[in-house]
């Protein structure tokens, strides 16, 4: 029956998304380490589900650049290099610079502080930033990553181009996956993690693109220097 088939498809799709999210969290938490191998069967048994949604979830994560498929053998966690991280930062900066240009060209964005919908959206992004800031100050990398990804996802939505927003989200996922393998080696991350989220929102709310650029230039330079230093140890 069409109704039953449709419900089954929705259930499988939801399961696929849940498995993909769980495995993505394992990679970002550093519990699935770069180069670590596994099969569809192993993951299906671990989560107590059939192979089909697992295989689909793993293909999704491969498309996001977090996993690699080993023909006829299974999958392994993608291994990023410091050079990869450098390229990710460069790409992120180019995308964000494009968003800054859109903000300069489009006066309606962040323009009317009396617009209740805009004010509520900006307040929501700022709350994500505050949570990310607290996690960064506490050195809680796992909590920081979650809020940081949400912060950038919601902030990017203001610029009106979902393709740029999706690309930026993908790059941030990849750059965190690359960074965590080094950051997890530090016993105390306090003082090492970027916490300028609310400063960036405030600068953009003032339409102070110069200040926003300066915040992100410092962020990128400090992040790259930290990862390069940790990778060399």
């Amino acid at each position: 029956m069409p109704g039953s088939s449709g419900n089954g498809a929705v259930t499988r799709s939801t399961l696929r998304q849940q498995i993909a999210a769980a495995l993505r969290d394992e990679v970002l938490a550093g519990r699935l380490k770069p180069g670590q191998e596994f099969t569809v069967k192993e993951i299906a048994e671990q989560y107590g589900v059939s192979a089909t949604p697992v295989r689909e979830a793993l293909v999704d994560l491969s498309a996001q650049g977090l996993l690699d498929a080993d023909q006829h053998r299974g999958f392994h966690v993608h291994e990023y290099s410091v050079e990869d991280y450098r390229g990710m930062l460069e790409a992120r900066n180019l995308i964000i610079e494009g968003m800054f240009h859109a903000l300069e060209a489009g006066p309606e964005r962040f323009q009317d502080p009396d617009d209740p919908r805009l004010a509520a959206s900006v307040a929501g992004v700022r709350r994500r930033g505050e949570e990310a800031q607290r996690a960064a100050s506490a050195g809680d990398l796992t909590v920081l990553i979650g809020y940081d990804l949400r912060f950038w996802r919601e902030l990017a939505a203001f610029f009106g181009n979902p393709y740029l927003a999706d690309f930026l989200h993908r790059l941030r996922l990849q750059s965190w996956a690359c960074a965590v393998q080094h950051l997890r080696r530090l016993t105390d991350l306090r003082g090492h993690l970027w916490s300028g989220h609310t400063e960036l929102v405030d600068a953009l709310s003032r339409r102070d693109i110069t200040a926003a650029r300066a915040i992100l230039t410092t962020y990128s330079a400090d992040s790259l220097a930290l990862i390069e230093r940790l990778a060399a140890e």
Side-chain angles (χ1 to χ4, degrees):
M1 292 174 59
S4 301
S5 175
N7 185 61
V10 170
T11 302
R12 196 181 77 186
S13 176
T14 302
L15 189 55
R16 167 186 184 169
Q17 293 167 1
Q18 290 173 341
I19 294 169
L23 291 173
R24 184 167 53 244
D25 289 346
E26 291 291 297
V27 172
L28 295 176
R31 290 186 289 271
L32 279 176
K33 301 185 183 303
Q36 185 171 337
E37 299 177 350
F38 47 85
T39 65
V40 171
K41 181 181 178 182
E42 288 170 344
I43 299 299
E45 290 175 350
Q46 177 182 337
Y47 287 100
V49 297
S50 67
T52 299
V54 170
R55 186 177 295 106
E56 292 170 343
L58 295 177
V59 168
D60 289 345
L61 293 179
S62 297
Q64 293 174 17
L66 299 185
L67 303 180
D68 292 320
D70 299 320
Q71 192 170 15
H72 307 308
R73 295 201 308 274
F75 294 80
H76 68 266
V77 180
H78 187 80
E79 298 181 75
Y80 288 110
S81 66
V82 173
E83 187 60 35
D84 288 327
Y85 190 71
R86 189 178 293 112
M88 291 171 198
L89 290 184
E90 181 180 356
R92 272 169 32 183
N93 290 339
L94 287 172
I95 292 171
I96 294 170
E97 183 59 31
M99 292 177 170
F100 286 165
H101 280 307
L103 180 58
E104 290 172 321
E108 72 280 359
R109 296 186 177 98
F110 288 104
Q111 179 73 5
D112 184 4
D114 296 325
D115 182 339
R117 291 173 301 177
L118 177 60
S121 296
V122 172
V125 174
R126 202 176 194 286
R127 282 195 297 274
R128 295 301 168 259
E130 290 169 352
E131 294 292 348
Q133 238 173 298
R134 278 193 282 271
S137 299
D140 191 333
L141 185 57
T142 299
V143 174
L144 169 61
I145 291 173
Y147 278 112
D148 181 82
L149 290 172
R150 290 180 66 186
F151 170 84
W152 284 100
R153 181 71 113 168
E154 294 177 17
L155 183 66
F158 282 115
F159 296 92
N161 189 324
Y163 300 100
L164 281 178
D166 285 345
F167 192 27
L168 180 60
H169 181 69
R170 173 190 168 101
L171 281 169
R172 293 204 67 82
L173 276 173
Q174 292 175 345
S175 57
W176 274 122
C178 179
V180 291
Q181 61 184 307
H182 304 292
L183 294 173
R184 296 286 178 190
R185 299 206 314 267
L186 290 176
T187 56
D188 188 351
L189 285 167
R190 287 174 295 181
H192 293 291
L193 302 171
W194 183 63
S195 59
H197 299 76
T198 57
E199 293 175 36
L200 178 60
V201 174
D202 292 343
L204 291 173
S205 296
R206 299 193 305 270
R207 295 179 58 80
D208 188 345
I209 304 302
T210 299
R213 283 194 179 104
I215 291 168
L216 290 178
T217 297
T218 300
Y219 169 34
S220 294
D222 290 349
S223 298
L224 180 58
L226 175 61
I227 297 305
E228 287 179 331
R229 177 175 66 80
L230 292 173
E233 291 179 353

XYZ file of all heavy atoms in Angstrom, residues 136-189:
445
model
N 34.209 27.442 24.963
C 35.607 27.704 24.610
C 36.404 28.131 25.840
O 37.526 27.656 26.064
C 35.680 28.777 23.525
N 35.815 29.016 26.639
C 36.510 29.489 27.844
C 36.735 28.357 28.840
O 37.747 28.327 29.542
C 35.702 30.609 28.502
O 35.572 31.707 27.623
N 35.791 27.403 28.881
C 35.909 26.263 29.794
C 36.794 25.159 29.224
O 37.101 24.187 29.922
C 34.529 25.710 30.113
N 37.170 25.283 27.937
C 37.973 24.250 27.303
C 37.189 23.000 26.968
O 37.762 21.930 26.786
N 35.855 23.127 26.846
C 34.993 21.982 26.532
C 34.829 21.897 25.018
O 33.928 22.505 24.428
C 33.637 22.142 27.218
C 32.801 20.868 27.161
O 32.997 20.078 26.217
O 31.957 20.672 28.050
N 35.693 21.134 24.374
C 35.726 21.077 22.918
C 34.456 20.484 22.326
O 33.940 20.987 21.320
C 36.951 20.267 22.467
C 37.204 20.194 20.969
C 37.351 21.575 20.365
C 38.443 19.345 20.692
N 33.920 19.425 22.930
C 32.730 18.759 22.388
C 31.539 19.709 22.351
O 30.837 19.811 21.336
C 32.385 17.509 23.215
O 33.487 16.594 23.162
C 31.132 16.833 22.674
N 31.302 20.415 23.443
C 30.189 21.371 23.496
C 30.443 22.529 22.540
O 29.535 22.983 21.832
C 29.983 21.884 24.937
C 28.936 22.991 24.971
C 29.562 20.739 25.849
N 31.684 22.994 22.486
C 32.022 24.096 21.588
C 31.700 23.753 20.142
O 31.084 24.556 19.434
C 33.510 24.452 21.714
C 34.051 25.407 20.637
C 33.334 26.741 20.682
C 35.553 25.586 20.780
N 32.105 22.573 19.703
C 31.888 22.201 18.301
C 30.395 22.236 17.957
O 29.994 22.762 16.917
C 32.488 20.821 18.008
C 34.017 20.892 18.067
C 32.040 20.320 16.639
C 34.697 19.542 17.967
N 29.570 21.678 18.835
C 28.130 21.668 18.580
C 27.554 23.065 18.433
O 26.820 23.347 17.473
N 27.875 23.943 19.363
C 27.347 25.301 19.294
C 27.985 26.102 18.172
O 27.330 26.943 17.541
C 27.536 26.022 20.630
C 26.469 25.688 21.638
C 26.764 24.966 22.786
C 25.146 26.081 21.444
C 25.779 24.641 23.713
C 24.148 25.762 22.360
C 24.478 25.044 23.487
O 23.495 24.727 24.394
N 29.271 25.874 17.923
C 29.953 26.597 16.856
C 29.331 26.280 15.498
O 29.094 27.185 14.686
C 31.444 26.222 16.851
C 32.222 26.951 15.769
O 32.596 28.114 15.989
O 32.463 26.345 14.698
N 29.031 25.006 15.238
C 28.419 24.639 13.972
C 27.029 25.267 13.821
O 26.665 25.756 12.746
C 28.321 23.124 13.858
C 29.655 22.382 13.667
C 29.442 20.871 13.774
C 30.306 22.735 12.341
N 26.260 25.271 14.908
C 24.940 25.891 14.854
C 25.051 27.401 14.671
O 24.275 28.022 13.930
C 24.154 25.579 16.132
C 23.735 24.119 16.251
C 22.963 23.863 17.525
N 21.678 24.557 17.526
C 20.866 24.584 18.582
N 21.193 23.951 19.702
N 19.717 25.210 18.515
N 26.023 27.998 15.353
C 26.245 29.441 15.249
C 26.503 29.846 13.807
O 25.844 30.749 13.269
C 27.438 29.827 16.124
C 27.917 31.243 15.930
C 27.303 32.292 16.602
C 28.989 31.527 15.086
C 27.752 33.608 16.433
C 29.440 32.825 14.914
C 28.812 33.865 15.585
N 27.442 29.167 13.147
C 27.779 29.536 11.778
C 26.661 29.196 10.810
O 26.432 29.909 9.828
C 29.086 28.865 11.361
C 30.270 29.548 11.965
C 30.991 29.165 13.062
C 30.855 30.767 11.508
N 31.995 30.065 13.318
C 31.925 31.057 12.376
C 30.579 31.628 10.454
C 32.727 32.182 12.215
C 31.378 32.753 10.289
C 32.441 33.026 11.159
N 25.949 28.113 11.052
C 24.828 27.729 10.196
C 23.771 28.838 10.223
O 23.252 29.251 9.184
C 24.249 26.401 10.701
C 23.104 25.852 9.900
C 23.541 25.349 8.550
N 23.422 23.918 8.402
C 23.524 23.321 7.234
N 23.731 24.018 6.142
N 23.444 22.025 7.133
N 23.423 29.317 11.411
C 22.380 30.335 11.545
C 22.873 31.701 11.086
O 22.122 32.473 10.482
C 21.893 30.390 12.996
C 21.172 29.113 13.421
C 20.748 29.130 14.882
O 20.710 30.226 15.478
O 20.458 28.052 15.432
N 24.131 32.007 11.357
C 24.682 33.286 10.916
C 24.718 33.358 9.391
O 24.350 34.371 8.796
C 26.087 33.476 11.487
C 26.766 34.817 11.170
C 26.010 35.962 11.841
C 28.220 34.799 11.632
N 25.143 32.265 8.763
C 25.245 32.250 7.298
C 23.888 32.425 6.634
O 23.801 32.945 5.515
C 25.888 30.948 6.838
N 22.815 32.002 7.314
C 21.477 32.118 6.737
C 21.074 33.573 6.497
O 20.232 33.862 5.634
C 20.448 31.445 7.648
N 21.670 34.504 7.234
C 21.337 35.918 7.063
C 21.728 36.442 5.683
O 21.192 37.437 5.226
C 22.044 36.780 8.114
C 21.394 36.744 9.464
C 22.047 36.197 10.541
C 20.127 37.263 9.661
C 21.459 36.156 11.788
C 19.524 37.232 10.898
C 20.192 36.674 11.968
N 22.678 35.786 5.054
C 23.219 36.335 3.826
C 22.460 35.877 2.588
O 22.796 36.257 1.475
C 24.707 35.984 3.715
C 25.511 36.611 4.818
C 25.747 35.932 6.002
C 25.990 37.899 4.698
C 26.464 36.513 7.028
C 26.703 38.486 5.720
C 26.937 37.794 6.884
N 21.433 35.045 2.779
C 20.473 34.795 1.723
C 20.907 33.860 0.612
O 20.216 33.764 -0.400
N 22.031 33.172 0.762
C 22.472 32.246 -0.279
C 22.667 30.866 0.340
O 23.708 30.602 0.959
C 23.772 32.735 -0.923
C 24.155 31.917 -2.154
O 23.942 30.704 -2.197
N 24.733 32.582 -3.147
N 21.687 29.974 0.210
C 21.776 28.663 0.876
C 22.940 27.815 0.371
O 23.441 26.960 1.093
C 20.429 28.005 0.563
C 19.938 28.703 -0.665
C 20.443 30.103 -0.571
N 23.390 28.048 -0.861
C 24.502 27.268 -1.402
C 25.809 27.635 -0.700
O 26.604 26.760 -0.341
C 24.620 27.489 -2.914
C 23.373 27.077 -3.657
C 22.445 28.023 -4.067
C 23.111 25.730 -3.933
C 21.289 27.646 -4.730
C 21.956 25.344 -4.590
C 21.051 26.302 -4.981
O 19.904 25.923 -5.622
N 26.016 28.931 -0.491
C 27.188 29.359 0.259
C 27.116 28.862 1.695
O 28.119 28.415 2.262
C 27.300 30.892 0.247
C 27.864 31.547 -1.006
C 27.862 33.056 -0.857
C 29.269 31.049 -1.306
N 25.929 28.936 2.297
C 25.755 28.496 3.684
C 26.056 27.005 3.828
O 26.737 26.578 4.761
C 24.343 28.811 4.163
N 25.576 26.187 2.876
C 25.827 24.744 2.929
C 27.307 24.437 2.729
O 27.860 23.541 3.384
C 25.002 24.022 1.864
C 23.533 23.929 2.235
O 23.203 24.157 3.418
O 22.707 23.630 1.344
N 27.948 25.152 1.828
C 29.366 24.930 1.572
C 30.191 25.315 2.801
O 31.136 24.613 3.186
C 29.803 25.731 0.353
C 31.165 25.370 -0.168
C 31.701 24.096 0.027
C 31.913 26.290 -0.870
C 32.950 23.760 -0.463
C 33.170 25.964 -1.361
C 33.693 24.696 -1.155
N 29.811 26.424 3.438
C 30.523 26.845 4.636
C 30.349 25.809 5.747
O 31.313 25.478 6.461
C 30.011 28.214 5.101
C 30.678 28.778 6.366
C 32.179 28.963 6.162
C 30.028 30.111 6.760
N 29.144 25.269 5.893
C 28.905 24.254 6.926
C 29.754 23.016 6.668
O 30.353 22.461 7.604
C 27.416 23.876 6.944
C 27.065 22.855 7.980
N 27.102 23.122 9.334
C 26.696 21.548 7.866
C 26.767 22.033 10.012
N 26.517 21.067 9.139
N 29.830 22.598 5.431
C 30.652 21.435 5.078
C 32.125 21.683 5.419
O 32.788 20.815 5.983
C 30.485 21.152 3.579
C 31.400 20.065 3.019
C 31.322 20.047 1.499
N 32.363 19.232 0.914
C 32.189 17.998 0.463
N 31.000 17.439 0.548
N 33.191 17.332 -0.071
N 32.608 22.880 5.093
C 34.003 23.206 5.385
C 34.272 23.255 6.886
O 35.332 22.836 7.355
C 34.379 24.541 4.744
C 34.690 24.509 3.256
C 34.772 25.928 2.697
C 35.993 23.762 2.999
N 33.303 23.744 7.633
C 33.500 23.817 9.084
C 33.501 22.410 9.690
O 34.248 22.132 10.618
C 32.441 24.712 9.732
C 32.583 26.182 9.332
C 31.958 27.115 10.361
N 32.690 27.068 11.627
C 33.805 27.744 11.881
N 34.349 28.510 10.957
N 34.390 27.669 13.048
N 32.649 21.535 9.178
C 32.683 20.142 9.630
C 34.053 19.526 9.362
O 34.651 18.885 10.237
C 31.620 19.326 8.895
C 30.198 19.334 9.428
C 29.268 18.614 8.450
C 30.117 18.673 10.803
N 34.554 19.725 8.159
C 35.830 19.142 7.783
C 36.984 19.736 8.592
O 37.879 19.010 9.023
C 36.083 19.349 6.291
C 35.137 18.559 5.403
C 35.322 18.866 3.930
O 35.959 19.856 3.565
N 34.764 18.033 3.082
N 36.946 21.047 8.802
C 38.050 21.666 9.543
C 38.040 21.240 11.008
O 39.101 21.041 11.611
C 38.006 23.198 9.419
O 36.774 23.720 9.855
N 36.851 21.029 11.592
C 36.800 20.505 12.955
C 37.297 19.065 12.990
O 38.035 18.676 13.904
C 35.376 20.584 13.512
C 35.018 21.890 14.154
C 33.991 22.738 13.823
C 35.686 22.516 15.267
N 33.982 23.834 14.640
C 35.009 23.720 15.550
C 36.786 22.175 16.044
C 35.391 24.583 16.563
C 37.168 23.028 17.071
C 36.482 24.215 17.319
N 36.910 18.259 12.001
C 37.375 16.876 11.954
C 38.890 16.816 11.858
O 39.538 15.933 12.438
C 36.746 16.146 10.765
N 39.469 17.756 11.132
C 40.925 17.825 11.019
C 41.557 18.309 12.323
O 42.573 17.758 12.770
C 41.300 18.771 9.870
S 43.081 18.973 9.633
N 40.956 19.320 12.937
C 41.557 19.938 14.124
C 41.481 19.062 15.363
O 42.406 19.064 16.187
C 40.878 21.284 14.398
N 40.392 18.291 15.521
C 40.209 17.562 16.783
C 41.304 16.526 17.026
O 41.669 16.261 18.166
C 38.823 16.868 16.868
C 37.716 17.888 16.982
C 38.589 15.926 15.704
N 41.851 15.951 15.946
C 42.898 14.952 16.139
C 44.121 15.554 16.833
O 44.877 14.848 17.498
C 43.306 14.352 14.792
C 43.879 15.351 13.808
C 44.190 14.729 12.459
O 44.889 13.735 12.369
N 43.655 15.328 11.399
N 44.309 16.864 16.690
C 45.415 17.549 17.346
C 44.979 18.153 18.686
O 45.687 18.044 19.684
C 45.965 18.649 16.435
C 46.389 18.151 15.085
N 47.475 17.319 14.917
C 45.853 18.349 13.852
C 47.612 17.036 13.626
N 46.642 17.640 12.963
N 43.802 18.772 18.697
C 43.341 19.441 19.913
C 43.101 18.468 21.054
O 43.313 18.815 22.226
C 42.053 20.216 19.616
C 42.185 21.400 18.646
C 40.811 21.970 18.313
C 43.086 22.482 19.230
N 42.659 17.238 20.740
C 42.368 16.263 21.800
C 43.620 15.861 22.571
O 43.519 15.283 23.648
C 41.711 15.023 21.209
C 40.342 15.257 20.577
C 39.253 15.468 21.594
N 37.959 15.734 20.948
C 36.881 16.141 21.610
N 36.928 16.320 22.907
N 35.760 16.368 20.962
N 44.774 16.161 22.029
C 46.012 15.791 22.724
C 46.346 16.764 23.852
O 47.172 16.456 24.714
C 47.190 15.750 21.735
C 47.000 14.734 20.621
C 48.348 14.265 20.086
N 49.273 15.358 19.847
C 49.420 15.974 18.677
N 48.690 15.616 17.648
N 50.291 16.936 18.538
N 45.719 17.935 23.837
C 45.949 18.910 24.901
C 45.101 18.539 26.115
O 43.904 18.300 25.987
C 45.595 20.319 24.432
C 46.529 20.960 23.392
C 45.976 22.310 22.955
C 47.932 21.125 23.946
N 45.707 18.512 27.281
C 44.958 18.160 28.489
C 44.101 19.317 28.982
O 43.110 19.095 29.676
C 45.929 17.736 29.607
O 46.878 18.782 29.831
C 46.664 16.463 29.218
N 44.469 20.538 28.648
C 43.701 21.708 29.074
C 43.592 22.659 27.885
O 44.577 23.249 27.451
C 44.385 22.404 30.251
C 43.517 23.505 30.854
O 42.468 23.835 30.260
O 43.891 24.040 31.918
N 42.374 22.797 27.362
C 42.152 23.616 26.172
C 41.759 25.054 26.495
O 41.543 25.846 25.579
C 41.061 22.968 25.310
C 41.486 21.725 24.533
C 40.265 20.991 23.983
C 42.424 22.094 23.405
